[in-house]
Amino acid sequence: PLTLEEVRMLVELFYLPYHHGALAQELLEHFRWLRANSLSVGVPPTAPDACGGTRWRGRAQSFQLLCARTCRLHSRFVSAAGRALLYELHPYLWDIRNMLLAAGAFVLWLGCQSITAPILLGRDAEPWARRGGLFGELQALLPVGNSCDLFYHPPPLFPSSQLYLLRPLLPLDKVGAVAWRGVLPEPLHGLLSSALPGRLLGSFLSLSPEYSFVLEDEGGPCGYAAGALHAEGFLQQRDSSWLPAIRHKYPPDLGTGGPALGQEAVLFFHAEPLAVPQPVLRRFPSLVQLGTAPRVLDVGASRSLALCLLSALRANGSRGVFCQVSDADRQQLSFYSKLG
């Protein structure tokens, strides 16, 4: 059964409409302070404001621990609560879990930035546009908080106790060591094993790694989100330098005689990419790409992945995003449609 401490956490998260419990208040205070003071991050240890950077990281760690406690509470609640109580309260706790997955990863992303930019929030939304309570206040603190359609989605019919971790791609991560099993096709053999991850993510990880995020569950990496702030320059650099290098590394005859999936992966690099129309680039200057493993059935985790990437792009000035999907790729079309 749930412990007394877990029940107390649940009550403090949903205390009164205009009065938060201690846990919710602490979450909000940390998030407000971390967002307002993010410019202190990334300073060398010997710099005059190094103490500010240390303090920021300390509060970021405290915020992460609170987020992790809340995510564990959601998992425990699904496993331990009676059915009637579960279906009554789960939608609210599921919302908070998803929001804190995105908020926690966004704070981690702020801490990874070597050059920080002012966070752009845009004009204030109408009061009726946001929900009340802790969810609405956390929403308002994200850079995409005024894009209300991003935050409204029905809870799953069958609650899952699966724990997720959402974080930026770290410098220690390597493309081959991230082990995208289940997200990308299983590695084939020889050189083709590194061609498959590169097919989907290589250009982003090489040219725009600062906007890459990883979703993990107990089985390891199960989702990714990648973006390019200035899509026009990114696509030019991809076509002029990255693609020629990849084509040289993987000649078109490399996959001959191998599995059909291997041939497709190699030939993918040698096909000419479709040009993006200028009106699209002017209206939606940033490019995004997201995906999850088939085992990720909780659309809330996928939404959190999208929220985190969009918040990072918006924080550095993006005013719109687009994605490139083949009209034959039904899996990706279905995935983006579920995200709205």
Side-chain angles (χ1 to χ4, degrees), residues 279-302:
V280 173
L281 291 170
R282 283 195 295 269
R283 187 175 178 187
F284 307 102
S286 302
L287 173 63
V288 298
Q289 181 175 292
L290 301 96
T292 58
R295 69 180 187 268
V296 181
L297 302 178
D298 189 341
V299 71
S302 304

Side-chain angles (χ1 to χ4, degrees), residues 37-243:
N37 294 276
S38 61
L39 292 176
S40 65
V41 185
V43 296
T46 55
D49 60 345
C51 292
T54 303
R55 186 184 176 201
W56 194 96
R57 289 182 177 87
R59 291 198 68 160
Q61 186 176 21
S62 298
F63 181 71
Q64 296 297 327
L65 289 173
L66 289 174
C67 292
R69 283 179 61 196
T70 307
C71 290
R72 282 197 300 271
L73 172 62
H74 170 266
S75 178
R76 288 272 296 122
F77 186 76
V78 172
S79 302
R83 295 296 95 181
L85 186 63
L86 171 63
Y87 282 97
E88 184 71 26
L89 297 182
H90 177 260
Y92 305 99
L93 191 54
W94 180 74
D95 270 342
I96 294 296
R97 190 281 309 256
N98 296 338
M99 179 66 74
L100 290 179
L101 276 176
F106 179 66
V107 165
L108 284 174
W109 176 81
L110 286 176
C112 293
Q113 297 304 290
S114 56
I115 300 174
T116 53
I119 295 177
L120 303 176
L121 294 177
R123 61 183 182 275
D124 290 335
E126 293 294 332
W128 51 263
R130 294 198 192 101
R131 275 184 265 177
L134 179 62
F135 184 94
E137 294 203 41
L138 288 169
Q139 174 188 336
L141 291 172
L142 284 174
V144 291
N146 289 340
S147 303
C148 300
D149 289 348
L150 293 172
F151 296 88
Y152 293 105
H153 43 284
L157 292 176
F158 304 101
S160 168
S161 61
Q162 178 66 64
L163 279 169
Y164 291 100
L165 171 68
L166 179 54
R167 61 173 178 83
L169 193 77
L170 301 174
L172 295 178
D173 289 321
K174 295 181 180 178
V175 177
V178 173
W180 298 94
R181 293 184 181 90
V183 181
L184 307 179
E186 285 291 334
L188 298 177
H189 59 83
L191 295 175
L192 293 183
S193 62
S194 55
L196 284 168
R199 173 183 172 184
L200 286 177
L201 283 173
S203 57
F204 287 98
L205 297 180
S206 297
L207 306 176
S208 184
E210 63 273 21
Y211 295 103
S212 299
F213 295 88
V214 180
L215 180 69
E216 294 179 316
D217 62 11
E218 293 165 358
C222 60
Y224 71 92
L229 182 63
H230 303 292
E232 187 170 13
F234 170 83
L235 294 173
Q236 289 174 354
Q237 194 174 0
R238 181 198 68 182
D239 296 346
S240 64
S241 61
W242 185 81
L243 265 180

